């Protein structure tokens, strides 16, 4: 995977998928900035990486604010000299149909899931284009294809997929690759916070019949950040147990 001596910033890395990506990158030799709204959780993940012999710093930041990214990139430059890989992972899960959606939830979902990607990608482009190298990975969701009770969530994740494709075109000539990962149901605190009917329906439609782990997503993020993915840009890699193909439970033959 060859992350050695590369510098990665992972947002929302204090929990779930982001923490798994941070650990995976660090285990491969990368220097990792663990960024999260919850400074305590970010500190804990960075400390765990250091204890395991890796190099990591924690930053308490808010992805809904440009200042949060400015502080995070400044920390990466100061600790490790720059940013080679950005994983826009921090996100929130909204569920419930449009009839129960309120303005505050809508705006918060857009801010955390989408405005964050705008700020992060813009700063990453400024950092990576002059060096003619870099990899940006945006964590979308299989839900962008559409799903029960996920109006706001699916809308923001669809926008992330679309923005990724446009940015990949814009930055390709500068050697900067931009890709998405679209997880299915992954066992994290966010997934556990979903209403039971939503979880049940999501699980029913996962053809493998198994719940994904944060490490499943981290391995995909590892590939996309690596030289092995040098010809891959503008793509959405599904880590969803086949849910994106819309197989029904009966198709599993169970
Ligand atoms: N778990 C799943 O089933 C699943 C499926 C598809 C996509 N995803 C996506 O994966 C990503 C990670 O999800 P997860 O399941 O690991 O969630 P999680 O709730 O376990 O972790 C999310 C982390 O993001 C941080 N965070 C939240 N708001 C933030 C903000 N404003 N600024 C900085 N950090 C903030 C939280 O503190 C938390 O540590 C999200 O983008 C989510 O939409 C998850």
């Amino acid at each position: 995977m060859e992350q050695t001596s590369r510098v990665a910033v992972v947002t929302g890395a204090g929990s779930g998928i982001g923490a798994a990506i941070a650990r995976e990158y660090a285990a491969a030799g990368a220097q990792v900035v663990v960024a999260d709204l919850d400074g305590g959780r970010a500190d804990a993940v960075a400390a765990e990486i250091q204890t395991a012999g890796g190099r990591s710093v924690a930053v308490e930041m808010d992805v809904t604010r440009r200042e949060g990214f400015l502080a995070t990139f400044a920390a990466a430059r100061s600790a490790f000299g720059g940013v080679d890989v950005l994983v826009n992972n921090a996100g929130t899960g909204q569920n419930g149909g449009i009839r129960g959606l309120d303005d505050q939830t809508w705006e918060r979902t857009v801010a955390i899931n989408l405005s964050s990607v705008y700020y992060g990608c813009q700063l990453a482009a400024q950092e990576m284009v002059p060096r003619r190298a870099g990899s940006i990975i945006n964590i979308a969701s299989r839900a962008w294809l559409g799903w029960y009770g996920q109006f706001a969530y699916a809308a923001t994740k669809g926008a992330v997929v679309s923005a990724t494709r446009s940015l990949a075109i814009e930055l390709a000539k500068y050697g900067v690759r931009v890709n998405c990962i679209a997880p299915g149901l992954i066992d994290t605190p966010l997934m556990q916070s979903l209403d039971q009917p939503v979880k049940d329906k999501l699980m029913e439609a996962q053809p493998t019949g198994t719940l994904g782990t944060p490490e499943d997503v981290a391995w995909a993020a590892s590939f996309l950040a690596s030289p092995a993915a040098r010809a891959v840009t503008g793509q959405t890699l599904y880590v969803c147990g086949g849910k994106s193909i819309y197989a029904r439970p009966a198709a599993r033959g169970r």
Side-chain angles (χ1 to χ4, degrees):
M1 193 266 287
E2 297 178 47
Q3 288 293 331
T4 309
S5 80
R6 300 183 80 196
V7 181
V9 169
V10 185
T11 68
S15 172
I17 291 169
I21 293 172
R23 289 188 196 103
E24 181 68 20
Y25 282 179
Q31 299 155 86
V32 184
V33 179
V34 175
D36 204 287
L37 187 63
D38 186 324
R41 281 198 216 145
D43 284 342
V45 173
E48 190 193 316
I49 288 170
Q50 288 161 13
T51 303
R55 295 189 65 196
S56 182
V57 293
V59 179
E60 181 177 325
M61 56 87 81
D62 183 348
V63 294
T64 69
R65 314 279 310 163
R66 177 179 292 281
E67 295 73 29
F69 279 97
L70 286 168
T72 304
F73 276 65
R77 274 192 293 270
S78 144
F80 305 129
V83 177
D84 301 303
V85 177
L86 170 66
V87 184
N88 280 312
N89 165 77
T92 187
Q94 177 273 343
N95 65 95
I98 193 165
R99 287 166 294 172
L101 184 60
D102 59 76
D103 294 355
Q104 199 185 359
T105 304
W106 167 259
E107 281 156 19
R108 183 100 190 114
T109 305
V110 170
I112 297 177
N113 290 359
L114 182 57
S115 299
S116 60
V117 171
Y118 158 59
Y119 297 133
C121 286
Q122 194 171 60
L123 288 186
Q126 286 164 6
E127 175 84 22
M128 294 170 183
V129 165
R131 291 194 277 127
R132 298 293 193 269
S135 173
I136 300 171
I137 298 164
N138 296 322
I139 306 298
S141 169
R142 186 232 55 91
W144 86 274
L145 293 167
W147 201 250
Y148 167 89
Q150 295 193 323
F151 178 87
Y153 185 72
T156 56
K157 295 300 189 177
V160 168
V161 171
S162 179
T164 297
R165 292 166 61 96
S166 291
L167 189 60
I169 294 167
E170 182 181 336
L171 299 186
K173 66 181 174 212
Y174 302 110
V176 179
R177 297 180 299 103
V178 194
N179 290 289
C180 273
I181 297 175
L185 202 60
I186 307 292
D187 192 8
T188 69
L190 181 149
M191 182 284 292
Q192 285 148 15
S193 73
L194 296 176
D195 294 341
Q196 197 57 46
V198 175
K199 269 193 281 195
D200 290 345
K201 284 191 163 68
L202 285 165
M203 200 59 223
E204 271 171 29
Q206 201 138 300
T208 54
T210 50
L211 187 59
T213 68
E215 290 71 32
D216 290 326
V217 182
W219 294 326
S222 187
F223 165 67
L224 288 175
S226 77
R230 68 184 184 183
V232 181
T233 195
Q235 303 305 307
T236 299
L237 177 51
Y238 289 90
V239 182
C240 68
K243 193 184 294 168
S244 62
I245 54 182
Y246 288 114
R248 303 300 303 161
R252 295 206 303 265
R254 293 179 184 172

